Amino acid sequence: MENVRGILLMVASMAFFATADMFIKQVSTRIPVGEILLFTGLGGATIFALWARRAGQAVIGRDFLSPLILLRNAGEMLGTFGFVTALALTPLSSASAIFQATPLAVTLGAALFMGETVGWRRWSAIIVGFAGVLMIVRPGLEGFQPASLYAVLAVVALAVRDLATRAAPRGVSSIRLGTYGFGVLVLSGAVLLALDGPALRPDAAETAAMAAAMLLDVAGYYALTLAMRMGDVSVITPFRYVRILFALLFGIFVFSERPDMPMLAGTAIIIASGLYTFAREHRANARARRQRAGA
């Protein structure tokens, strides 16, 4: 039952995130990206700060200025900017599909910078996965959209965030990290507005959509945290890829997108590579645990 609950929470989390993406794309047709980031950051940081206080935790600790937390926050700022900009300028389905390569980028970064052992099979899966990204982006071909590179930027920057989170001190709670993550969006949104022009006054529908996106992002974060703390990680984590299914449905039925075969094939390759990489990683971790137990 723990696995079933974990799977349901993971699917709910991905549904929340995908729905938030849909609302962001809707308002981004008129509202500047900087204003969306500022609104989301203020709302999310306030919720997490109140949550931290209720849990008896300090909202901001001395760890805020530690190098790893600063690196994590920089990755959060740059990654969220890249993904929101990609949502604004490219089809929802393609931006979301490219975004699914983030776990592959995390594995690549862990091998290159954190000394994690990655065998030739996982290296092959990473290469094949990024080939799937190239099939969607299509650099140099007729279907190439330069704005899709913002989604690639999001993959790289959020992989940096996740790697920094892995290396961060264990004493930094998930609630505080959530406060930091939403808080730095306020700074990035303000900088973008200063560089890119004034904010626009959203109408009632746009305000409701941005509020819904912010609340859904917070709910998705909470559901994801709960899902990863129950059941078997190897069973639950693969269900994070259902996010692309929700994104495809929203893209087709809300934005009248028509994904072509290269985009669908690239998406399938990314998902298959990610699932294979995760399965190999889980097997390697299980083998290491058995060896330590035998020693």
Side-chain angles (χ1 to χ4, degrees):
M1 286 305 297
E2 285 291 292
N3 281 342
V4 173
R5 293 191 191 99
I7 290 169
L8 291 175
L9 282 167
M10 178 63 77
V11 172
S13 170
M14 295 303 107
F16 292 152
F17 285 138
T19 309
D21 295 342
M22 178 199 68
F23 283 127
I24 288 172
K25 183 165 183 63
Q26 284 181 326
V27 300
S28 65
T29 57
R30 195 180 76 88
I31 302 298
V33 169
E35 187 172 347
I36 294 172
L37 294 177
L38 184 63
F39 185 99
T40 303
L42 279 172
T46 300
I47 291 173
F48 272 98
L50 292 173
W51 186 4
R53 295 299 295 171
R54 184 172 182 179
Q57 301 178 14
V59 176
I60 298 178
R62 284 179 295 180
D63 51 59
F64 182 76
L65 296 178
S66 69
L68 284 172
I69 297 300
L70 289 175
L71 179 62
R72 182 191 185 279
N73 290 340
E76 185 81 66
M77 290 172 60
L78 196 57
T80 306
F81 159 73
F83 188 57
V84 172
T85 304
L87 288 176
L89 301 178
T90 65
L92 172 64
S93 52
S94 63
S96 299
I98 295 170
F99 189 66
Q100 301 308 305
T102 304
L104 294 173
V106 171
T107 301
L108 175 63
L112 294 178
F113 303 111
M114 298 181 71
E116 183 173 313
T117 301
V118 175
W120 68 268
R121 292 181 180 85
R122 276 198 283 169
W123 277 115
S124 300
I126 291 169
I127 293 170
V128 171
F130 285 123
V133 172
L134 291 177
M135 289 181 66
I136 299 171
V137 176
R138 283 171 270 189
L141 300 179
E142 185 178 353
F144 174 57
Q145 289 183 288
S148 62
L149 295 177
Y150 283 112
V152 178
L153 170 65
V155 168
V156 175
L158 292 177
V160 170
R161 177 203 65 184
D162 290 349
L163 290 169
T165 302
R166 281 190 188 186
R170 294 289 183 181
V172 185
S173 71
S174 298
I175 300 174
R176 189 182 295 174
L177 288 176
T179 306
Y180 294 166
F182 277 98
V184 294
L185 297 185
V186 178
L187 175 60
S188 59
V191 170
L192 279 176
L193 284 176
L195 295 175
D196 202 27
L200 299 176
R201 183 175 182 177
D203 59 28
E206 290 166 337
T207 301
M210 287 195 290
M214 181 269 295
L215 292 172
L216 285 164
D217 275 332
V218 172
Y221 178 91
Y222 182 63
L224 178 62
T225 302
L226 289 178
M228 296 306 292
R229 288 179 175 174
M230 64 174 61
D232 239 340
V233 173
S234 61
V235 174
I236 295 167
T237 299
F239 283 86
R240 70 186 304 157
Y241 286 106
V242 300
R243 180 172 181 171
I244 187 59
L245 299 180
F246 290 116
L248 284 169
L249 290 173
F250 287 138
I252 293 170
F253 293 108
V254 177
F255 301 105
S256 300
E257 296 174 2
R258 293 294 178 266
D260 56 17
M261 282 306 299
M263 184 263 164
L264 293 174
T267 301
I269 289 172
I270 292 170
I271 293 174
S273 299
L275 291 173
Y276 180 79
T277 301
F278 182 79
R280 294 296 306 180
E281 181 178 349
H282 175 69
R283 186 176 300 178
N285 290 339
R287 188 184 303 117
R289 285 194 297 270
R290 286 195 299 270
Q291 289 173 347
R292 286 195 298 269

